[in-house]
Amino acid sequence: MGQKKVIKKEYRITVVGCGHVGLVTGACFAELGYRVCCVDKDKKKVNNLKKLILPFYEPGLFELVEKNYKRGKLEFTTDLKKAIRNVQVIFIAVGTPPNPDGSADLSSLERIAYLVAKNLNSYKLVVEKSTVPVQTGEKIKETILRYRKNSKPFDVASNPEFLREGKAVHDFLHPDRIVIGVESERAEKILRDLYSSLKAPIVVTDINTAEIIKHASNSFLATKISFINAVARICDLAKANIDKVAEAMGLDPRIGKEFLKAGIGYGGFCFPKDLEAFLYISKKLGYEFSLLKEVKRINEEQKKYFVEKVKDYLWILKDKKIAILGLSFKPDTDDMRFAPSLDIIEFFLREKSKPILYDPQARKEAEKLLKGKKVKFAKDPYQAVKDCDCVCFLTEWEEFKHLNFKKIKKLMRMPLIADGRNMLDKRYLESLGFKYLGIGT
Ligand code: UGA
């Protein structure tokens, strides 16, 4: 009976790239019982990981890394060649940052494919986990064929990851679906085996289709957000309530309630970059995906609109003290990449306001990105709001919902709340004497 299980756990896995996707993938596969080697070219990152210092904050990840590192299921190295030679399955989870023209920089993938070719000592399954443009799998295959020195077999596969930062461990272990893009039965079997203990529908397809599934999923979610934000603008003009509109729309299962939260728009290292990459690749293939251009434009405009609302109320922003609560692009992460807060802070600075910033996790990252800017950081929300003319909520951290607003009102110079995430109780705040500005409420 145990035979299948024993064989299954014998798969040894290398995950290249210790970023969000890579580290979560590595730690979760180790948790599922496989021996996993996580590789990164950043020596400091790898040394820190060996000391159990993680490169970013992600709920639940530390516990998995610690447990599996200590029980020998998880190791960290910078030696990619060895990590390729020792295993059968190689997940590529390196970054694919945007080039100035919007295309994805795939040079790290080429390097890995080259090293796989040079270290092809036995069958290898090379799996794309990072978000990559459609047809990247073909390029990886061509690269390995071009540089390999023997005829040892290999497969390339696409297995896009749909995890969300802040919920990454949960999303990996409880996926809605697992997408497997393969060209051979052997590759399909390995990937099915690897995920066999997770309960989720598996969609098996060709590699190009799997790559498009990832592009289309992220772009569709971004479209939902821009759609609801556009409707929120109309709600403001018509004096209607976007939260109720979204609630009622979401009850229709054809629409669904997720990703209908109006606010200052989406950020992070996935949606903005992936949308750009999908636009680029569509054009390259011969289709102008104009809908996505509009999604992007609405998203950009939303941040300006938020600051304009504050400006309309305060009239002059110069020298006004603006408390900004929440800096990360969403709660439960310290990730500041493409965070809407960065643009909003910049708009306030252009108006010569005085921003005082607070975030429960992202302060260190924010300090790096805002170095040299005229901003101050507060150690807690109450210190941030002291003598302020406005407090802006930009990330819906749970702790902000439980603040003592009576105390905040006493501390502020002018009781103005601008809620960029429609996360607070407007009626309650108004009853305390605050002026409340939401988006479409
Ligand atoms: C997103 C996708 O949700 C994941 O499925 C995907 O795997 C990931 O990108 C990726 O490609 O790696 P993530 O960027 O972690 O995940 O964050 P989301 O939870 O999707 O939020 C993205 C942004 O949209 C945030 O700034 C969030 O505040 C904003 N958002 C989300 C809204 O403004 N309104 C909503 O209703 C939902």
Side-chain angles (χ1 to χ4, degrees), residues 243 415-419 421-426 429-430 434-439 441:
D243 293 335
L416 171 63
I417 290 183
D419 183 355
R421 296 292 180 181
N422 290 355
M423 59 183 276
L424 302 172
D425 186 339
K426 178 180 176 175
L429 294 169
E430 285 177 344
F434 281 101
K435 171 69 188 171
Y436 176 91
L437 303 173
I439 308 269
T441 59

Side-chain angles (χ1 to χ4, degrees), residues 20-21 58 129-131 160-168 171 176-177 214 217-218 221-222 224-226 228-229 257-274 299 328-331 333 335 337-340 394-396 420-421:
H20 235 102
V21 172
E58 179 63 43
K129 200 64 166 152
S130 333
T131 303
E161 185 49 65
F162 300 102
L163 58 81
R164 294 161 295 175
E165 286 183 26
K167 297 195 171 68
D171 287 352
D176 298 319
R177 77 293 208 191
K214 174 71 190 189
S217 300
N218 273 4
L221 291 171
K224 262 187 117 174
I225 298 170
S226 279
I228 206 70
N229 280 334
K257 64 179 170 44
E258 301 292 332
F259 280 69
L260 287 183
K261 190 88 192 126
I264 48 175
Y266 59 79
F269 201 56
C270 301
F271 287 175
K273 160 179 93 66
D274 292 356
N299 196 56
S328 55
F329 83 99
K330 65 174 196 176
T333 176
D335 198 340
R337 292 174 298 175
F338 297 97
L394 301 189
T395 315
E396 64 276 40
R421 296 292 180 181

Side-chain angles (χ1 to χ4, degrees), residues 124-137:
K124 309 282 172 204
L125 171 60
V126 180
V127 192
E128 304 165 348
K129 200 64 166 152
S130 333
T131 303
V132 293
V134 60
Q135 296 176 333
T136 300

